[in-house]
Amino acid sequence: MTTLVAVGAQWGDEGKGKLVDWLAPKAQLVVRFHGGNNAGHTLVVDGHTTVLHVVPAGVLNPGTINLIGPGVVVDPGELLIELEALKERGVLRDPSRVRVSGRAHVILPWHLALDKAREEKARDRAIGTTGRGIGPAYEDKVTRRGIRVADLLNPEDLRHQLDRLAEQKNFELVEFYNWKPIDVEALWEQAVEWGRQLEPYVDHTARTLDRGLRDGMNVLFEGAQGTFLDIDHGTYPYVTSSNCVAGAVCAGAGIGPTQIDRVLGITKAYTTRVGGGPFPTEEQGEFGERLREAGSEFGATTGRPRRCGGLDVVMLRESATVNGFTALAINKLDILSGIGELKIATGYKIDGKVRNDFPMTLGELERAEPVYETQPGWTEDITGCRTYESLPDNARAYVDRVEALVGVPVEIISVGPGRDETIARTDPFRPL
Ligand code: GDP
Ligand code: IMO
Ligand code: MG
């Protein structure tokens, strides 16, 4: 039995979905533990692209059970659409392969409306959220008025819960944001229907996870977003509303810290960010545009162009610290082929002083000018490489340099979006 937590080391979209799908054949359980359908995880298998938002990326592997843990926020309508599409394709013949925690909180139409209304009102201070209601849903969870998946199965009590919530939510929507109220009667009918359709999937997932661990299963935990979008460790307030770091797996899935064996940090070979907030190595000129074109850097959830720039090891070192990475995966190395000399940020100049630690405040980060070292590039197409040794010398030198600068071994290198376009230097599920 081995447990492996896979999390994003940057601002999301590092290629977590691709790697979770690739790792899944070795795991019997794949578990999402935080976030919601703000995530967009892209899987390319035999030329067919699947984008998942809340269903774990183990689902294309027939041998896995996929758990949506209590730390996730679930938009029931969107989850049902995702499940239906998987069923139609014949990928999800057995519904018991997807289990949703009854304790996961539900994203309601109020949350979507408030997310949008707040962003509109914030104007130039907007976070650039995905508009999926994530922040407002977590807010209701923490203020202890949220509605959970299991509540959808109990229509009578649900009606009282919705009535209570409506008082506060519609007041805020109408009086503060000048938006239309949400009709509780219609919402209740809709929510009861969601409950009816979701019932076969609802589970006490922490218990299922515990049973799996006792039975000696390999378990893969699938992070969403990334370390710098984490509510505590990220570039606050330009973050999401959940903890994205590896430690969040304990509360979000229901597993003790003593049961985590390995933590895989996933990074791109360069850096991207979607939404607002500071980004020290952002390249707004031609180089950024080339990365965006070559890497097809457009959001999997909202289609927004992603901001692009060079690799930042100041960030990766901070990430390694707060997550306890035991290994790194470097994705999209193929995108750097033919791009010329490669810059790696190793420090920041802030107020005239060079530092190599990640700053504590947003103000310092906004003033940070990256200090770069350069690495020679390579021109060869590397998408066919399946071993580290077969990579061009300069591509290997780039990987080695990142490994040395971050101080964490690079165990996986991804050279294309396809499942098999992956180089593994060791088995991530090898026994300890
Ligand atoms: P996630 O949110 O971390 O799962 O990442 P996304 O799916 O949002 O974005 C990553 C994008 O890069 C997707 O379109 C993937 O298909 C693609 N991708 C992942 N790994 C590689 C790789 O090594 N090379 C290339 N060219 N594309 C990749
Ligand atoms: P995956 O799992 C990239 C960003 C949004 C915004 C901020 C807050 O695909 O890596 P939210 O809707 O969560 O309140 O938005 O977080 N964001 C992501 N960026 N990848 C994601 O998920 C993201 N999920 C949220 O763009 O800046
Ligand atoms: Mg994504």
Side-chain angles (χ1 to χ4, degrees), residues 14 64 109-110 116-117 128 230 233-234 249 251 264 311 341 356 364 393:
E14 297 90 348
T64 57
W110 284 301
K116 289 181 185 136
D230 179 283
H233 302 283
V249 83
L264 177 68
L311 190 68
E341 198 169 64
N356 52 25
E364 289 169 295
D393 290 350

Side-chain angles (χ1 to χ4, degrees), residues 13 289 292-293 295-306:
D13 301 329
E289 193 53 44
R292 182 156 42 249
E293 286 304 313
S296 309
E297 294 296 352
F298 297 89
T301 296
T302 58
R304 290 177 291 177
R306 295 177 183 145

Side-chain angles (χ1 to χ4, degrees), residues 165-363:
L165 198 55
E167 242 177 74
Q168 193 267 340
K169 295 283 130 190
N170 278 341
F171 181 82
E172 188 177 351
L173 260 186
V174 175
E175 301 300 325
F176 193 69
Y177 291 110
N178 218 359
W179 276 48
K180 284 201 194 97
I182 301 229
D183 179 65
V184 192
E185 178 71 24
L187 174 57
W188 177 63
E189 281 169 18
Q190 170 74 84
V192 171
E193 179 56 23
W194 284 333
R196 202 185 58 74
Q197 291 187 40
L198 279 179
E199 192 161 11
Y201 301 95
V202 179
D203 189 34
H204 190 318
T205 56
R207 239 183 255 154
T208 305
L209 172 58
D210 180 58
R211 264 200 312 277
L213 292 170
R214 283 171 200 276
D215 290 348
M217 290 182 179
N218 284 342
V219 183
L220 174 57
F221 295 96
E222 176 186 1
Q225 290 80 57
T227 300
F228 292 91
L229 290 172
D230 179 283
I231 186 81
D232 291 309
H233 302 283
T235 48
Y236 190 89
Y238 297 97
V239 293
T240 190
S241 296
S242 67
N243 281 113
C244 311
V245 292
V249 83
C250 292
I255 181 177
T258 49
Q259 287 179 295
I260 311 283
D261 295 322
R262 293 205 177 88
V263 180
L264 177 68
I266 304 176
T267 176
K268 275 180 189 161
Y270 47 100
T271 312
T272 66
R273 163 162 221 177
V274 57
F279 179 173
T281 66
E282 181 170 18
E283 296 275 352
Q284 287 176 332
E286 198 198 327
F287 184 64
E289 193 53 44
R290 277 177 69 194
L291 281 175
R292 182 156 42 249
E293 286 304 313
S296 309
E297 294 296 352
F298 297 89
T301 296
T302 58
R304 290 177 291 177
R306 295 177 183 145
R307 301 156 64 191
C308 297
L311 190 68
D312 184 341
V313 297
V314 186
M315 288 176 67
L316 294 183
R317 279 195 297 258
E318 172 92 348
S319 238
T321 307
V322 298
N323 289 290
F325 293 152
T326 56
L328 271 182
I330 300 187
N331 284 354
K332 301 190 102 161
L333 192 64
D334 54 307
I335 302 305
L336 298 185
S337 292
I339 215 133
E341 198 169 64
L342 300 166
K343 295 196 292 186
I344 302 178
T346 55
Y348 297 149
K349 194 170 180 187
I350 304 173
D351 304 331
K353 279 202 195 110
V354 173
R355 299 162 43 167
N356 52 25
D357 59 312
F358 196 79
M360 199 162 62
T361 65
L362 194 71

